[in-house]
Amino acid sequence: MAWKNADVVVIGGGVQGCASAYNLAKLGVKKVILIEKNSICSGSTGRCGAGIRAQWGTEMNCRFGLACLDIFENLEEELGMSVGLNQGGYLMVAYKESEFDQLKANIKLQNSLGIRSGVVTREEAYTICPGLSADDALGFTFHQRDGHADPFLTTFAYMEAAKRLGVEFLKFTEVTAIKVEKGRVKTVVTDKGEIDTAVVLNTAGGFFQDVAAMVDLELPIHSENHDIMVTEPVEPGVCPPMLMSFSGNYYLQQRPDGTIVGGCSPIGHPMDSDLRSRFAFLEHMSSVFTKLLPRAKDIRIVRQWAGLYNMSPDCQPILGEAEHVKGFFLSGAYSGHGFMFAPITGKLMAQLITRGNTDMPIHMLHYRRFAEGKLIIEPAVV
Amino acid sequence: MAGICIDKTKLDDDDVVVCRCKEVTLKEIREWIDRGYDTFDELKRLTGVGMGACQGRGCRDIIMKEIARRTGKSFDEIGTGTFRPPVKPVKLGTLTAANKEDPWEGKVVSH
């Protein structure tokens, strides 16, 4: 006898899981159970850089980014709780000719899709970000509607709204196996008991591939450790936009509470799931901070941490249903962009599960693209 | 001259500020615990307690006691939440000056 029954079991209590659970319930799914092995928002979502943007280099991501901004701008009203939205813009910084050319091409694409981004001069960049020193940069682009939201509040807001619609949340509950019968999902086995269900949605973030492996699905993805740190709160205006550079390998932004958050990518793809803090990162990132914001040298760092990027071969997510197991749905491998895309992908996955199609095309994000060699080349990833 | 006398019977527990960094009151903490945010880490994510300049030195014990009181769980079961470096706030300039052998220096980050 099963411990519980569900129409859909969502595995993973990050923003993707909570947004998907909310949208499933909103589309009328009666019994949704979300399982989280730790506490809600304890994984990659709660550790992320929090940026949201529409400045992308492929049409697909521009459309996703724009759709997310539309949702984020109305999310507090929709969910009944603040999500900490702060649209200070993204100021992209290019240090190489080829990089600036690419950013300019991206702007052209973005403008054609209704994104009002543009190239800005150094003087304009210094007005947008008064503390900035980037005399070695070649060019800048800016989009005011970009910025960030609070990953914790956004996830909890989705959870609270989902709870009101009847979604059950099981925290400190770990999935240990998934039983498949005649090519269909049958039961989710947890350390607390078994849950019978015909549909599973894998939103396990940094553990996405481990959950996929439970139905013998081997995905060519891995998790890697990305470091990040935050300063004490200081007066606003030090760095209002998200400063970001692909070649400079950094992102940093001051939040409304006055703290400045910043991080960078590790060198290469280390396949490193070790989340312990590294002192070398603190030293390196401090140098990046003080070079970009020279007046910040007396601001103190209060905390560093790390989170997992779940990386796919083309740094684009995997969305869709497993080919060999009916009812096993995937939403992961966001490669560092899971938080910013959650408002739209949570919605699209709920549509795919409940009605078999989606408002925006996602077929190109199925994992079969890796075997078919149809990778999505997005030039705007850090 | 007599000192200022506070009538403690008139001081409502709910108004006590448990986190001075983020100005969170005991009342807020109690309400969130009762709504299911019954670990220090979840309260931290929701209200910011433990994330300010003091990194939880002022509030952690008080909040853990409150969780224990309201859930009937022991300290062991509740868990302290995660402690993260640096132990004390450090100036960016100090760390910059210490940055002698930067593993990132001159490296191209492929993505």
Side-chain angles (χ1 to χ4, degrees):
Chain A
M1 175 86 186
W3 174 43
K4 287 171 185 288
N5 290 285
D7 295 321
V8 181
V9 170
V10 180
I11 302 174
V15 70
Q16 290 291 344
C18 292
S20 301
Y22 163 74
N23 278 290
L24 282 163
K26 198 178 158 193
L27 288 179
V29 180
K30 290 273 181 295
K31 186 70 196 162
V32 180
I33 297 179
L34 183 145
I35 304 174
E36 164 56 48
K37 72 171 176 177
N38 198 308
S39 52
I40 300 300
C41 212
S42 56
S44 296
T45 300
R47 298 158 184 273
C48 81
I52 58 175
R53 62 175 158 121
Q55 285 192 73
W56 288 95
T58 57
E59 184 177 336
M60 176 190 81
N61 281 331
C62 285
R63 289 193 191 281
F64 280 165
L66 196 55
C68 285
L69 292 179
D70 288 342
I71 298 172
F72 266 121
E73 285 167 359
N74 297 294
L75 204 52
E76 178 171 347
E77 198 181 335
E78 179 176 353
L79 302 179
M81 192 166 143
S82 169
V83 298
L85 181 66
N86 177 42
Q87 290 174 297
Y90 253 64
L91 184 62
M92 300 277 198
V93 188
Y95 294 93
K96 296 179 194 163
E97 280 296 346
S98 58
E99 184 184 20
F100 192 33
D101 289 345
Q102 182 63 56
L103 288 187
K104 285 187 276 194
N106 294 351
I107 293 290
K108 215 171 158 186
L109 173 71
Q110 290 155 18
N111 291 168
S112 75
L113 298 168
I115 299 161
R116 298 170 70 182
S117 54
V119 173
V120 294
T121 64
R122 193 183 315 278
E123 289 66 38
E124 286 168 330
Y126 286 180
T127 308
I128 293 163
C129 187
L132 178 64
S133 167
D135 288 350
D136 52 344
L138 289 177
F140 308 84
T141 67
F142 184 67
H143 180 226
Q144 186 70 64
R145 283 178 75 198
D146 294 345
H148 76 262
D150 187 314
F152 300 129
L153 295 183
T154 304
T155 307
F156 288 138
Y158 271 119
M159 178 180 77
E160 292 294 335
K163 277 184 178 171
R164 287 196 295 274
L165 295 173
V167 176
E168 186 179 359
F169 286 77
L170 304 173
K171 57 182 182 180
F172 300 112
T173 304
E174 189 165 358
V175 174
T176 54
I178 296 167
K179 291 184 189 169
V180 176
E181 207 174 273
K182 292 175 190 159
R184 283 209 72 96
V185 166
K186 181 80 172 49
T187 304
V188 174
V189 184
T190 78
D191 57 356
K192 303 263 174 70
E194 298 194 352
I195 305 171
D196 282 343
T197 184
V199 179
V200 164
L201 173 60
N202 175 7
T203 56
F207 309 94
F208 183 61
Q209 65 274 30
D210 303 333
V211 173
M214 289 178 186
V215 295
D216 295 325
L217 179 58
E218 297 295 331
L219 297 171
I221 60 173
H222 71 275
S223 291
E224 63 183 37
N225 175 350
H226 283 234
D227 299 278
I228 178 167
M229 66 184 202
V230 63
T231 71
E232 64 189 330
V234 292
E235 277 181 43
V238 178
C239 185
M242 178 76 89
L243 270 183
M244 182 176 180
S245 175
F246 300 122
S247 67
N249 184 25
Y250 61 74
Y251 64 86
L252 58 115
Q253 181 174 45
Q254 187 172 27
R255 303 189 297 182
D257 68 0
T259 61
I260 308 168
V261 177
C264 67
S265 295
I267 299 155
H269 292 290
M271 296 203 183
D272 183 1
S273 298
D274 184 351
L275 286 171
R276 282 178 298 184
S277 298
R278 294 180 282 199
F279 190 71
F281 164 76
L282 269 195
E283 289 184 314
H284 168 70
M285 205 59 211
S286 297
S287 298
V288 174
F289 263 66
T290 50
K291 181 170 175 275
L292 288 165
L293 307 167
R295 283 182 287 162
K297 67 177 172 37
D298 290 330
I299 296 173
R300 284 172 289 223
I301 293 167
V302 296
R303 189 167 68 257
Q304 75 172 121
W305 67 97
L308 296 176
Y309 273 33
N310 193 246
M311 305 297 294
S312 74
D314 56 5
C315 301
Q316 302 304 309
I318 293 172
L319 303 180
E321 186 177 12
E323 286 177 314
H324 67 300
V325 183
K326 286 286 156 216
F328 188 80
F329 289 84
L330 299 126
S331 174
Y334 283 89
S335 308
H337 313 111
F339 173 64
M340 66 173 78
F341 282 151
I344 189 64
T345 50
K347 203 169 172 174
L348 296 173
M349 286 311 294
Q351 290 171 355
L352 183 68
I353 290 168
T354 54
R355 53 176 222 222
N357 58 38
T358 50
D359 285 349
M360 296 172 78
I362 57 166
H363 61 273
M364 62 291 210
L365 289 168
H366 196 276
Y367 63 80
R368 69 171 76 92
R369 73 180 184 272
F370 306 126
E372 292 171 352
K374 292 178 182 164
L375 300 191
I376 299 161
I377 306 305
E378 165 59 65
V381 285
V382 71
Chain B
M1 200 173 116
I4 297 166
C5 183
I6 296 170
D7 181 355
K8 285 184 180 168
T9 59
K10 285 185 182 159
L11 195 66
D12 190 345
D13 259 8
D14 280 351
D15 295 333
V16 171
V17 173
V18 289
C19 166
R20 286 174 292 183
C21 300
K22 304 282 179 178
E23 296 177 1
V24 181
T25 63
L26 197 52
K27 183 167 186 265
E28 287 171 73
I29 292 296
R30 285 174 173 167
E31 282 173 2
W32 287 117
I33 293 170
D34 293 347
R35 285 180 68 174
Y37 296 79
D38 55 4
T39 60
F40 185 80
D41 276 345
E42 284 166 300
L43 290 167
K44 175 184 80 179
R45 291 172 201 140
L46 189 73
T47 66
V49 295
M51 292 169 100
C54 89
Q55 291 290 288
R57 280 180 187 76
C59 65
R60 196 182 301 262
D61 282 4
I62 303 167
I63 290 170
M64 283 181 62
K65 273 179 201 155
E66 201 56 34
I67 295 170
R69 200 171 289 146
R70 295 185 96 77
T71 61
K73 289 180 185 165
S74 70
F75 260 46
D76 277 359
E77 286 175 282
I78 296 161
T80 57
T82 315
F83 291 81
R84 298 190 190 282
V87 174
K88 277 187 162 183
V90 188
K91 283 182 180 176
L92 286 162
T94 307
L95 286 161
T96 304
N99 187 15
K100 297 280 185 270
E101 287 172 30
D102 190 334
W104 275 264
E105 194 64 44
K107 295 270 172 44
V108 175
V109 175
S110 69
H111 256 228

